[in-house]
Amino acid sequence: TITVMRGGIDDDELSHRSGSLSRNSSSRSFTGGYSVDWDEIDSIAEESLSVASSVSSGHRKRKSASSRRRNQPVSTVSQLDALESGSLSRYTNGTASKGSRSSGSAASRGKSTPSNQSRKQKQRLASRRWMNDAKRLAVIGGLAMFAILSIHFCGLYLQEIVSYRPSFAGIGADRSARRALSRSTATYATRKWPLSVRDEQADFEFISHPANHKVTLSLPRFFLQKDDGTMETLGRARPLTRSMANMVGRTTVDGSRDFSVRTIFVGIPSFRDWHCRYTVESIFGRAKYPERIRVGVVDQMEGGQDQSCDLPIAPCSQKPEQALCLYRDQIDVYEMEAKLAVGAPFARHVVNRLYRGEYYALQVNAHTTFTKNWDVELIEQLEETGNEMAVITTYLDDALGSIDDITGISQKESRRVLCNLAYEGSGHERRLRHDFDQQPDMLPGVTGMPQLQPFWSAEFAFSRGHFVLTVPYDPNVPMIQKDDEEISMALRAFSHGYDFYTPEKSVCFDSARSDKDSLKSFLAHKSLYKGIDKVSMQRLDGLVGMAEGWVTDPNDLYGIGQARSLSKFHNSFGVHPREHITERKLCNFVSTGRMHRQFHEHLHEDGMGLNYDQIHFRFHELQNNHDA
């Protein structure tokens, strides 16, 4: 018997030897698709069998050896030529003459003529060539599509790196922040509520006093820490993401996302303020869920003259129902000598160090009175914005006449809108500020949720807890007053992607608005720190792009974020930092709700702040319009 493999190359071997054959002839082509006329080869095989049957028995031994050779695949062009020409001498026993095989071949073809065979062969070859061409085109098309998609997604990834990770140092900072956040949330989640920095005193860190490096302070460690134990912040390398934001938020029941068990951290700086303990009493006494609130106070006091902020107003043995008695474990007070006080920014920085991962964070002054169920109302207002990066902030009006003393319910429907900004002073002393008296006290221009506004207040600011971790107070600007800290914090928070809203309804008021003379000031010790304020103002102005020649350090923990540019803030709200002037009719655009209606529709789909790349707005009072 004779075995003839089709074309001498099986289908699998053809697929592995692409490009190894290249031959053109009048009868068939082996270019590209390697087409073979299998019917013709079958006819030749039949002829070979007839010839092989007439071979004498004396040659069977040689035929057997030839048969073994015939079972090997045909792997050369010469073997294929033999198939085409009808010469199969190497596939038979090797004794029959070429002529006899040719005559046998003619006999085996019967009535088939060469012209008919040629026509059939051409049709088969054309059909196979078309199928092979189609296969090649499909493969090439698939590869091209894969290349296009690869280039597209690689481009998106590179764009993300360029936009949000400007350097290898930035990539390292982002990874460091993620590790710190994962480590901190895991660590504090294992600790039973309420947490207290009192349990961490053995782990406090020592830092130099910001205005007197001869003095060393022992402070609680910041919630986020690098691998070496030093302070870390979010948002330095890239904007805060939804996944990282979701990692922040302690509940009284670990893992729960129920509003009723979400915790609130209330941070209070106090400088010799006798109102402080009344403020703490009001926080817990008028909250609907006081057990879910934790208060952190930095109490700057004179020993022997001032009373501590956590001292009950009456002895607990006489009035055990006092909040300062019932919720003592939920109050942390860090006491500092009054002469070491160097302004609100440093005090609030220490307050930030008392934060321990609560879901919400509230910043107020030590002279604040709250309304009934303030915690529930404030949470509802924040959630109504649908904005993870929302900050409800405003100036507080006088508590006198604004709250019913018996019911604790607010009697005031209007609230302040922060929209009037101006440069004050002269020469190099000009400062960008928004004074309390210049902000309109109005009924809401928007109903159903808080209303967007451009600026931020240190008196009252409520947000998600990650605000503390992303925009912590800068401790390196001692002797700076509140009016100067506010615009700096507003610009930094804006650059990190946060948006400011005035509340739809006030939930607290200023206990000392009509009695400011009773408040003491850290400036009483300014003689101890002469000239420090000028150095601090240079840093403050430099960080927010308002000082010429200032070089920003991308690794600065208290610098500008990556979500938005400062120029977007300046253009959107009519600030001209080089000329030291502002547009003065911005409130006409903000207080009426026009800003809210025009901007809020551009909220990111994932709720991570407004997309200012889609807000093409430039406030220009001189043209009396708003150019797009």
Side-chain angles (χ1 to χ4, degrees), residues 324-337:
L324 286 167
C325 300
L326 293 175
Y327 305 105
R328 178 65 187 88
D329 292 340
Q330 294 165 230
I331 305 170
D332 276 337
V333 176
Y334 180 89
E335 294 184 350
M336 182 190 301
E337 294 182 43

Side-chain angles (χ1 to χ4, degrees), residues 268-374:
I268 305 173
S270 175
F271 181 82
R272 306 191 63 189
D273 196 336
W274 66 269
H275 300 87
C276 186
R277 54 183 182 160
Y278 292 91
T279 297
V280 175
E281 186 71 27
S282 175
I283 289 171
F284 287 101
R286 286 184 171 165
K288 185 172 183 179
Y289 300 107
E291 66 276 9
R292 290 145 193 164
I293 297 171
R294 180 171 163 268
V295 173
V297 181
V298 173
D299 203 357
Q300 302 158 108
M301 55 188 298
E302 288 282 0
Q305 299 183 33
D306 303 320
Q307 293 176 322
S308 178
C309 194
D310 61 348
L311 181 66
I313 299 170
C316 292
S317 58
Q318 297 178 11
K319 297 187 66 175
E321 70 278 8
Q322 295 175 101
L324 286 167
C325 300
L326 293 175
Y327 305 105
R328 178 65 187 88
D329 292 340
Q330 294 165 230
I331 305 170
D332 276 337
V333 176
Y334 180 89
E335 294 184 350
M336 182 190 301
E337 294 182 43
K339 66 179 181 181
L340 296 177
V342 287
F346 181 68
R348 295 191 198 277
H349 169 79
V350 180
V351 169
N352 290 161
R353 286 174 171 264
L354 302 179
Y355 172 81
R356 285 298 174 263
E358 286 78 15
Y359 198 89
Y360 301 104
L362 173 62
Q363 171 179 312
V364 294
N365 286 333
H367 40 87
T368 305
T369 302
F370 286 78
T371 60
K372 186 178 181 180
N373 296 336
W374 65 269

Side-chain angles (χ1 to χ4, degrees), residues 532-605:
I532 296 295
D533 59 332
K534 293 182 179 180
V535 177
S536 297
M537 280 305 304
Q538 290 177 355
R539 172 176 171 78
L540 203 65
D541 290 342
L543 287 175
V544 298
M546 298 172 65
E548 296 182 2
W550 183 270
V551 179
T552 302
D553 182 0
N555 294 319
D556 196 324
L557 295 174
Y558 314 101
I560 298 302
Q562 301 293 325
R564 301 167 185 159
S565 66
L566 296 181
S567 60
K568 177 62 75 171
F569 182 93
H570 297 151
N571 294 335
S572 298
F573 307 126
V575 180
H576 306 281
R578 290 188 177 181
E579 296 81 4
H580 283 196
I581 60 174
T582 60
E583 308 288 348
R584 299 308 301 270
K585 295 183 179 179
L586 181 63
C587 279
N588 293 342
F589 176 65
V590 176
S591 61
T592 57
R594 291 175 60 193
M595 173 189 171
H596 182 97
R597 287 185 285 271
Q598 186 169 334
F599 284 23
H600 210 267
E601 63 182 12
H602 298 291
L603 181 66
H604 280 288
E605 291 185 1

Side-chain angles (χ1 to χ4, degrees), residues 2 46-57 60 63 93:
I2 301 174
E46 291 176 3
E47 175 191 356
S48 300
L49 290 174
S50 64
V51 173
S53 62
S54 63
V55 177
S56 63
S57 59
R60 292 184 182 276
K63 185 177 71 173
N93 56 18

